[in-house]
Amino acid sequence: MDKKMLFVFNPKAGKGKIKAHLLDVVDVFNKSDYEVIIYSSQKPRDAYEKAKEYANQVDLIVCSGGDGTLDEVVTGIMEMNSSVPVGYIPAGSTNDFANSLFMPKDMVEVASMIMEEEMYHCDIGRFGRQTFTYIAAFGLFTDVSYETDQDLKNILGHVAYLLEGMKRLFEIKSYHMKVESDEIKGNVVEDDFIFGMVTNSRSVGGFKNLTGKNVDMNDGLFEVTLITRPRNPLELQEILTALIKEEDDSDLIYSFKSKKITFEADEEVPWTLDGEFGGNHQTIEIENRHEALNLYLKSTK
């Protein structure tokens, strides 16, 4: 075996789904002449540290877990300025990134797909000095993912996010922000926002097409959605209707594509990156890193 692989997985993701398939997955890798270094993550940021450690020592890094595990691995690789290819075997409760790329559900099938070594160059995001794979968001519901208990996630899947999020409906907080982008009419918009997301994904929170119907994961552009604070029940209903119908016909929702966008708020705003806490920021610049992720993926339809 002349090729080396780091295989890092989250043993708790998706009810520990990987445990039942681990030997079969590793067997697929071995049959493709990979010497496999296996690591079971033990704590937050563990996959990130391992990815940094091995980024320039192996021919391939494969990770299995939720989108947070993938985010850690991609972040570690980017921080090492490595171009090592990545394989992803989704095992989380929602798996937005995998769903967006139409990846198979069967773990052994995904492992076999990775071994075909067909390269897909996927966009990712730069958030200040940080990296995210498919979403940076603030506001309503965005802290749900990292505050929802892992066991609850495993039992209920993405319904757990909804149950936790429903508690927040009566605690809506808005942030006054100035948003700048070349793709905005006049290059700037200023308003009070209850929610905002900058995405490279066809699925968010398990819901497809929330980011729009014409999403290309390697076109160098993000999909940006900003929801203003409703002033009365009628405006709230207008927002919900627009989101449910997936139609961009409300003046209360800003929706556009952008390769680079800057947010400037009157106060520090908590952000989430790929479902994990991304820090509090008053001013932040987000930029698309076009085709920066080398992903082994057979097809994206």
Side-chain angles (χ1 to χ4, degrees), residues 43-64:
K43 59 184 183 297
R45 305 282 286 176
D46 222 1
Y48 160 77
E49 294 293 348
K50 282 297 171 183
K52 283 187 67 175
E53 180 181 348
Y54 285 94
N56 294 312
Q57 298 182 32
V58 295
D59 300 287
L60 171 63
I61 296 180
V62 176
C63 63
S64 181

Side-chain angles (χ1 to χ4, degrees), residues 197-210:
M197 62 181 180
V198 180
T199 65
N200 187 43
S201 176
R202 299 181 177 98
S203 171
V204 173
F207 297 96
K208 295 181 179 179
N209 296 327
L210 195 61

Side-chain angles (χ1 to χ4, degrees), residues 4-291:
K4 287 190 176 182
M5 171 200 301
L6 170 66
F7 178 38
V8 56
F9 65 91
N10 180 352
K12 293 184 178 181
K15 305 178 186 177
K17 183 181 177 183
I18 185 62
K19 296 176 184 177
H21 304 280
L22 184 60
L23 293 180
D24 290 332
V25 167
V26 174
D27 185 55
V28 169
F29 296 155
N30 286 156
K31 286 178 177 176
S32 294
D33 295 323
Y34 274 98
E35 177 185 342
V36 185
I37 302 164
I38 304 174
Y39 186 78
S40 172
S41 62
Q42 304 297 308
K43 59 184 183 297
R45 305 282 286 176
D46 222 1
Y48 160 77
E49 294 293 348
K50 282 297 171 183
K52 283 187 67 175
E53 180 181 348
Y54 285 94
N56 294 312
Q57 298 182 32
V58 295
D59 300 287
L60 171 63
I61 296 180
V62 176
C63 63
S64 181
D67 292 328
T69 301
L70 176 65
D71 175 82
E72 288 192 24
V73 167
V74 173
T75 299
I77 290 171
M78 292 300 141
E79 288 192 9
M80 296 302 292
N81 294 315
S82 172
S83 59
V84 62
V86 173
Y88 179 41
I89 301 177
S93 52
T94 303
N95 302 316
D96 284 319
F97 187 78
N99 291 334
S100 295
L101 291 170
F102 308 106
M103 295 177 66
K105 304 294 184 183
D106 183 271
M107 299 183 110
V108 178
E109 185 180 347
V110 177
S112 297
M113 178 200 71
I114 294 170
M115 290 298 92
E116 293 184 27
E117 298 186 347
E118 291 187 23
M119 190 77 78
Y120 178 73
H121 302 287
C122 187
D123 295 346
I124 56 175
R126 181 180 62 80
F127 180 88
R129 294 183 178 180
Q130 296 172 264
T131 298
F132 66 94
T133 306
Y134 75 98
I135 183 170
F138 70 87
L140 189 65
F141 297 168
T142 54
D143 60 346
V144 168
S145 180
Y146 54 83
E147 287 190 0
T148 303
D149 182 79
Q150 180 67 53
D151 292 331
L152 181 60
K153 291 182 190 178
N154 292 343
I155 294 169
L156 299 175
H158 79 261
V159 176
Y161 300 108
L162 293 180
L163 292 176
E164 191 69 24
M166 288 299 291
K167 301 176 185 176
R168 315 299 174 85
L169 282 175
F170 302 102
E171 305 171 9
I172 297 178
K173 177 178 174 56
S174 64
Y175 300 95
H176 188 79
M177 287 182 164
K178 183 167 66 173
V179 183
E180 297 183 36
S181 170
D182 289 342
E183 284 74 17
I184 299 175
K185 185 177 181 180
N187 295 338
V188 64
V189 62
E190 189 169 355
D191 216 322
D192 295 319
F193 300 105
I194 60 170
F195 174 81
M197 62 181 180
V198 180
T199 65
N200 187 43
S201 176
R202 299 181 177 98
S203 171
V204 173
F207 297 96
K208 295 181 179 179
N209 296 327
L210 195 61
T211 59
K213 298 178 181 179
N214 299 305
V215 178
D216 187 339
M217 307 265 298
N218 65 349
D219 62 357
L221 296 171
F222 288 124
E223 283 65 43
V224 182
T225 303
L226 304 171
I227 301 177
T228 61
R229 181 178 182 84
R231 292 167 293 184
N232 53 58
L234 287 177
E235 289 192 347
L236 177 59
Q237 183 62 46
E238 180 181 330
I239 290 171
L240 293 174
T241 300
L243 292 175
I244 292 170
K245 290 184 176 180
E246 301 167 4
E247 295 178 354
D248 184 17
D249 59 358
S250 172
D251 292 336
L252 302 172
I253 301 177
Y254 296 89
S255 182
F256 55 93
K257 294 178 181 288
S258 179
K259 61 182 178 181
K260 188 175 181 180
I261 184 168
T262 301
F263 292 84
E264 184 178 341
D266 289 351
E267 60 184 300
E268 287 199 333
V269 178
W271 285 78
T272 177
L273 305 178
D274 298 332
E276 304 296 328
F277 182 55
N280 297 304
H281 306 272
Q282 188 167 353
T283 300
I284 194 71
E285 183 180 86
I286 301 175
E287 186 173 8
N288 187 290
R289 300 186 63 183
H290 184 41
E291 298 187 341

